[in-house]
Amino acid sequence: AQSVSQHNHHVILSEAASLELGCNYSYGGTVNLFWYVQYPGQHLQLLLKYFSGDPLVKGIKGFEAEFIKSKFSFNLRKPSVQWSDTAEYFCAGGFNDYKLSFGAGTTVTVRA
Amino acid sequence: NAGVTQTPKFQVLKTGQSMTLQCAQDMNHEYMSWYRQDPGMGLRLIHYSVGAGITDQGEVPNGYNVSRSTTEDFPLRLLSAAPSQTSVYFCASSYSGIRDGYTFGSGTRLTVV
C-alpha cells in the first residue's frame, strides 16, 4: 500500500540553527511529493512540491527539499530557522491524480 | 474570491446527534476532499469528489456521508456522532487534482461528548 512516513515527531531548535525533516514514501511507481506547513491555529499551506525534473526543489520562505529516488526520500531543509518557523510540517504523497496521503507530521519549535 | 470556506469553526455535539459540516469554494475547483486531523496521525482522507455528482470513499469513511450536488459545495454529514469523531476537519479543493495543489479551508474543530 502507498504510504508516507515522517521520522521526527517533535524537533526543538534554536534560532539560526539548520533544520532537516525526514520523509519517506512507500510506492514503486511514480509519486508526486509535497511539503505542507501548518502554523499555530491556521490551515495547511503548501511549502513546495516535486513532480519530476531537478530533484532539488526550492519552495517558499527559504525551504528546500531533495528527492532521492533510491532512498524513497523527500527530506525538507532550511539552512537557518527563525522563530516564525515554529509550526507543524507535513509530508504528503500523491499516488494518483487527486488523492493525497499525509505523514503523521513533525512539530517544529524554534526557540528565540 | 474567498477560497475554501468551512463552517462552523467550532462545534460541540452530544453522542448520537447528527450534524453537517459545510464546505464551499468559489474557485470553480472540480476536486474536493475532506480530511480529519488527529494528533500523531497526520491528516486522513475521509471522502473525496472529482466533480459534481461523483464521490468516493477515502481511508476513514465510516460514520460519514457526503454528496456533491454542485461544483461549489461539498458538505460532510455525521449521522450519529461518536466520541471517536472528535477531531479537526479540513476541507480542501483543487482545480484539476494534486498537480495544481490543494487549497485548504481553515478547519472545523469538532468535539463529541
Side-chain angles (χ1 to χ4, degrees), chain B residues 3-109:
Chain B
V4 178
T5 302
Q6 290 185 239
T7 56
K9 292 190 182 304
F10 302 93
Q11 183 70 49
V12 179
L13 287 180
K14 294 182 179 179
T15 297
Q17 285 185 316
S18 63
M19 81 159 295
T20 299
L21 307 186
Q22 301 291 344
C23 175
Q25 52 87 14
D26 60 357
M27 299 173 284
N28 200 31
H29 285 177
E30 289 293 326
Y31 294 82
M32 297 186 75
S33 303
W34 275 103
Y35 291 86
R36 59 177 289 173
Q37 182 182 19
D38 301 292
M41 304 187 75
L43 280 80
R44 293 179 291 168
L45 183 64
I46 305 171
H47 286 284
Y48 64 96
S49 169
V50 299
I54 306 169
T55 64
D56 205 348
Q57 298 180 347
E59 304 170 65
V60 289
N62 292 340
Y64 307 95
N65 280 351
V66 292
S67 60
R68 184 97 180 269
S69 56
T70 66
T71 299
E72 294 77 20
D73 300 297
F74 191 42
L76 178 71
R77 297 183 186 86
L78 284 71
L79 298 179
S80 179
S84 61
Q85 293 178 305
T86 293
S87 186
V88 181
Y89 291 85
F90 287 99
C91 179
S93 74
S94 173
Y95 181 71
S96 62
I98 61 173
R99 295 187 74 87
D100 285 332
Y102 271 91
T103 300
F104 283 80
S106 57
T108 295
R109 184 174 294 274

Side-chain angles (χ1 to χ4, degrees), chain A residues 9 32 34 36 38 41-44 46 49 51-52 88 90 94-105, chain B residues 31 33 35 37-38 40-45 48 50 57-59 90 96-102 104-107:
Chain A
H9 295 294
N32 301 307
F34 306 81
Y36 282 84
Q38 185 179 30
Q42 297 188 25
H43 60 279
L44 275 76
L46 182 65
K49 57 187 177 183
F51 294 144
S52 63
E88 190 158 16
F90 294 94
F95 303 107
N96 58 27
D97 289 339
Y98 44 83
K99 290 169 63 175
L100 282 175
S101 294
F102 285 85
Chain B
Y31 294 82
S33 303
Y35 291 86
Q37 182 182 19
D38 301 292
M41 304 187 75
L43 280 80
R44 293 179 291 168
L45 183 64
Y48 64 96
V50 299
Q57 298 180 347
E59 304 170 65
F90 287 99
S96 62
I98 61 173
R99 295 187 74 87
D100 285 332
Y102 271 91
F104 283 80
S106 57

Side-chain angles (χ1 to χ4, degrees), chain A residues 10-21 78 80-83 85-86 89 107-112:
Chain A
H10 193 182
V11 173
I12 302 173
L13 304 166
S14 298
E15 276 193 313
S18 63
L19 172 70
E20 180 161 2
L21 303 181
K78 185 171 185 178
S80 177
V81 296
Q82 301 172 319
W83 177 80
D85 292 321
T86 294
Y89 294 80
T107 301
V108 173
T109 301
V110 180
R111 292 179 171 162

Side-chain angles (χ1 to χ4, degrees), chain A residues 33 35 48-59 64-70 73-77:
Chain A
L33 295 161
W35 276 98
L48 47 81
K49 57 187 177 183
Y50 173 77
F51 294 144
S52 63
D54 189 343
L56 186 61
V57 181
K58 294 193 183 298
E64 65 180 30
E66 185 175 13
F67 172 63
I68 303 179
K69 188 174 182 179
S70 61
S73 69
F74 190 57
N75 292 354
L76 181 71
R77 298 194 291 251

